[in-house]
Amino acid sequence: MNLLFLMTDQHRVDTLGCYGNPHVATPNLDRLAATGTRFDRFYTPTAICTPARASLLTGMAPFRHRLLANYERNVGYLEDLREDAFTFPQALRERGYQLGLIGKWHGGTHRNAASYGFDGPDLPGWHNPVDHPDYLAYLKERGLPPYRISDLIRGTTPNGNPGNLLAARLHQPVEATFEHYLATRAIEHLERYAADGRPFFLATHFFGPHLPYLLPDEYFDRYDPDLVELPPSIAETFEGKPPVQRNYSAHWTFDTIPIEVTRKLIAVYWGYVTLIDEQIGRILAKLDELGLTGETSVFFTADHGEFTGAHRLHDKGPAMYEDIYRIPGIVRIPGASPQVRHEFVTLTDCTATILDLAGCDTAPAVDSRSLVPLVRGEHPEWPAELLAEFHGHHFPYPQRMIRDERYKLVVNPESVNELYDLFDDPHELHNRYQHPELRPVRQRLMRRLYDLLRERGDNFYHWMTPMYDIGVSDYDPTLSSFETVEAE
């Protein structure tokens, strides 16, 4: 079985037609969803690039693989996986697979994709490396103009300096964009792998639609800002929430940007999504042309989401909202019927799925479950809760999250905890952690989170003492769960 893995960076799930967006043109991903399995509740294990990608590589939760922060903004954590860490390419290589990775690596400082056996140009960094020799050679061979931008969009920081760049107009034709370049290199690899005849795993990791959104005119102006419905959580007040969220809003300069510019930013982000969809279409068309579609499983997902103004924020950070934790997830396996699944699944589950499809042992991917039974329409026993974690970006900030069908609990040891009723408050505007009527829900989720973290070996459970109102008067740390003795 061949494996084609398509991945974007910082991609909101609600920008895709197949996930309900009526305005954004994503015909190629919509077609993939219509012929495969679309997971409606697909989540990242952590909403930050390097740790999420390390979880995909290893099938381990971030607390276990220990690659906890992006190295550009590291806060004292490891910068590479341990030498003895299990990774899925190692297992595939032992099965005779050709391995390729085109695009964003972002998996460490000293070890690159080639260190794990992948073919492809080494493209380090968090955003399109437009000065990379291979990209410059690509432009020169085709007589295409170099990278140049204008019309920069940015806010103003609290100290009066210009804020981070959010978007700009790119003065290149689509053929010169980094996205087109990546798709071209992926197509070249497909052709080479097809000629070889051995099974292959080929990943194409686009750097977008991560900000800043740098697009040619036809995508920068593709969507009328008047089409944009602002996210309801733009009404965020941060009342009763961890102060770090308000501070992040100021850091990302949301309140210094006119609302019409916010609409334009979202419209430009949509244009970025369409540009990437078209490049994915080129790759999928080549798969068809080479006669490989019937023997190739295709994945599409992202490392995490993006705020684009939701909760008066941009980028991602220490706020465990659906905007950045829920991501697109599509898997198409030859012979499996199209469907939509509603189980809680994660990016980490892709690891066991890849191993399963390649005929490898899935056990080393210890925090991963194969999605193959779900894609084949089966109904295996599946967890009713989702866990996620965060360790910091710019500064250490530990968080853990558990959500079930209705409620989400976020534990913030250094601040206030959060509890959201996703039925009554789907945009997570009202922190109900202290609401008396939800005390049983809070206690149930806190106890369940404690048990699950302890079972996994995540030492965060040490933070979760009775001070967090787990609804007990005492507990025995030798037991697998709290003694449920209600306090008076």
Side-chain angles (χ1 to χ4, degrees):
M1 176 70 71
N2 300 317
L3 303 162
L4 177 64
F5 198 92
L6 305 166
M7 190 175 193
T8 50
D9 190 320
Q10 208 154 297
H11 194 158
R12 287 187 67 95
V13 68
D14 60 7
T15 59
L16 300 173
C18 56
Y19 281 95
N21 191 300
H23 304 301
V24 183
T26 54
N28 298 293
L29 289 171
D30 295 349
R31 191 176 307 116
L32 182 65
T35 55
T37 294
R38 177 173 66 80
F39 290 94
D40 191 54
R41 297 196 290 193
F42 199 98
Y43 285 78
T44 184
T46 185
I48 184 169
C49 302
T50 296
R53 291 166 188 270
S55 287
L56 171 64
L57 193 65
T58 62
M60 300 177 190
F63 82 87
R64 199 185 307 278
H65 63 61
R66 309 302 296 167
L67 195 55
L68 302 178
N70 291 357
Y71 57 80
E72 295 90 358
R73 301 294 178 95
N74 207 317
V75 289
Y77 298 134
L78 296 178
E79 295 190 13
D80 283 280
L81 290 172
R82 302 184 310 273
E83 290 285 346
D84 62 348
F86 168 82
T87 63
F88 78 80
Q90 166 194 341
L92 265 59
R93 189 166 60 248
E94 292 172 358
R95 299 281 296 184
Y97 270 73
Q98 305 174 83
L99 300 175
L101 191 150
I102 310 298
K104 186 171 185 176
W105 166 243
H106 219 202
T109 55
H110 302 295
R111 300 165 69 192
N112 60 12
S115 304
Y116 296 90
F118 290 111
D119 301 324
D122 180 24
L123 299 168
W126 65 273
H127 199 254
N128 290 340
V130 294
D131 57 351
H132 191 277
D134 191 63
Y135 173 62
L136 296 177
Y138 166 87
L139 295 180
K140 184 176 181 180
E141 289 167 5
R142 291 159 176 78
L144 295 168
Y147 163 89
R148 183 171 68 87
I149 61 174
S150 68
D151 301 351
L152 280 61
I153 299 176
R154 60 195 343 152
T156 304
T157 63
N159 63 9
N161 290 331
N164 292 303
L165 179 63
L166 301 175
R169 193 177 297 274
L170 179 64
H171 295 275
Q172 287 178 301
V174 63
E175 295 80 12
T177 62
F178 211 81
E179 292 70 31
H180 196 281
Y181 153 75
L182 291 176
T184 299
R185 290 290 186 252
I187 287 168
E188 292 168 353
H189 273 66
L190 275 179
E191 291 173 334
R192 187 160 72 251
Y193 291 163
D196 181 285
R198 288 178 294 149
F200 64 81
F201 172 92
L202 176 62
T204 304
H205 291 182
F206 292 93
F207 286 76
H210 194 296
L211 55 77
Y213 323 135
L214 310 177
L215 301 176
D217 291 347
E218 62 187 285
Y219 299 96
F220 194 87
D221 299 320
R222 172 72 179 263
Y223 296 104
D224 185 344
D226 288 343
L227 291 173
V228 173
E229 293 184 18
L230 293 172
S233 63
I234 212 163
E236 180 66 78
T237 66
F238 303 114
E239 182 180 353
K241 297 189 177 185
V244 69
Q245 296 184 23
R246 186 187 299 274
N247 295 340
Y248 246 63
S249 179
H251 171 75
W252 282 102
T253 69
F254 177 84
D255 290 339
T256 72
I257 298 171
I259 203 67
E260 60 269 20
V261 176
T262 295
R263 289 186 189 275
K264 177 62 178 177
L265 279 169
I266 295 172
V268 174
Y269 183 76
W270 288 0
Y272 206 168
V273 171
T274 293
L275 170 61
I276 292 173
D277 179 84
E278 291 175 359
Q279 303 317 306
I280 287 174
R282 293 177 58 218
I283 297 170
L284 294 176
K286 178 56 66 172
L287 197 71
D288 290 341
E289 180 186 321
L290 294 170
L292 296 171
T293 301
E295 53 196 76
T296 304
S297 290
V298 181
F299 297 71
F300 171 74
T301 188
D303 57 355
H304 55 79
E306 149 78 89
F307 279 117
T308 60
H311 295 276
R312 290 165 52 198
L313 294 165
H314 291 287
D315 199 53
K316 65 273 184 187
M320 304 186 86
Y321 294 122
E322 296 288 286
D323 306 88
I324 59 172
Y325 276 84
R326 181 172 171 240
I327 55 176
I330 302 169
V331 181
R332 186 177 72 188
I333 297 175
S337 299
Q339 61 177 329
V340 178
R341 299 296 299 230
H342 301 285
E343 290 87 351
F344 288 119
V345 298
T346 77
L347 177 66
T348 314
D349 292 328
C350 290
T351 316
T353 310
I354 290 166
L355 293 167
D356 194 358
L357 290 168
C360 302
D361 180 12
T362 64
V366 294
D367 298 306
S368 180
R369 298 176 297 266
S370 175
L371 300 174
V372 171
L374 300 183
V375 176
R376 296 205 185 282
E378 300 170 17
H379 295 276
E381 184 177 348
W382 205 264
E385 308 98 353
L386 170 85
L387 298 184
E389 60 190 270
F390 187 74
H391 298 266
H393 181 48
H394 308 280
F395 49 86
Y397 194 87
Q399 295 179 295
R400 295 297 186 274
M401 175 181 88
I402 183 171
R403 72 148 294 184
D404 60 16
E405 185 71 22
R406 178 166 184 171
Y407 295 100
K408 175 189 290 187
L409 171 72
V410 181
V411 177
N412 301 294
E414 298 179 16
S415 188
V416 298
N417 294 332
E418 300 163 83
L419 179 66
Y420 299 104
D421 182 338
L422 299 175
F423 283 8
D424 292 345
D425 179 26
H427 305 293
E428 301 171 280
L429 284 168
H430 306 291
N431 180 11
R432 299 182 178 177
Y433 186 81
Q434 296 295 348
H435 285 212
E437 70 275 16
L438 291 181
R439 185 169 182 261
V441 172
R442 182 175 71 231
Q443 292 175 341
R444 172 178 60 80
L445 289 175
M446 193 70 81
R447 284 196 296 265
R448 181 62 175 155
L449 178 60
Y450 176 91
D451 287 343
L452 290 172
L453 294 180
R454 189 165 185 192
E455 287 172 12
R456 284 156 55 111
D458 183 346
N459 287 333
F460 187 90
Y461 76 86
H462 287 303
W463 289 94
M464 298 173 60
T465 66
M467 75 177 67
Y468 277 133
D469 189 22
I470 300 173
V472 297
S473 59
D474 195 11
Y475 73 96
D476 181 346
T478 66
L479 300 177
S480 62
S481 69
F482 281 96
E483 294 293 322
T484 55
V485 180
E486 289 285 283
E488 293 296 329

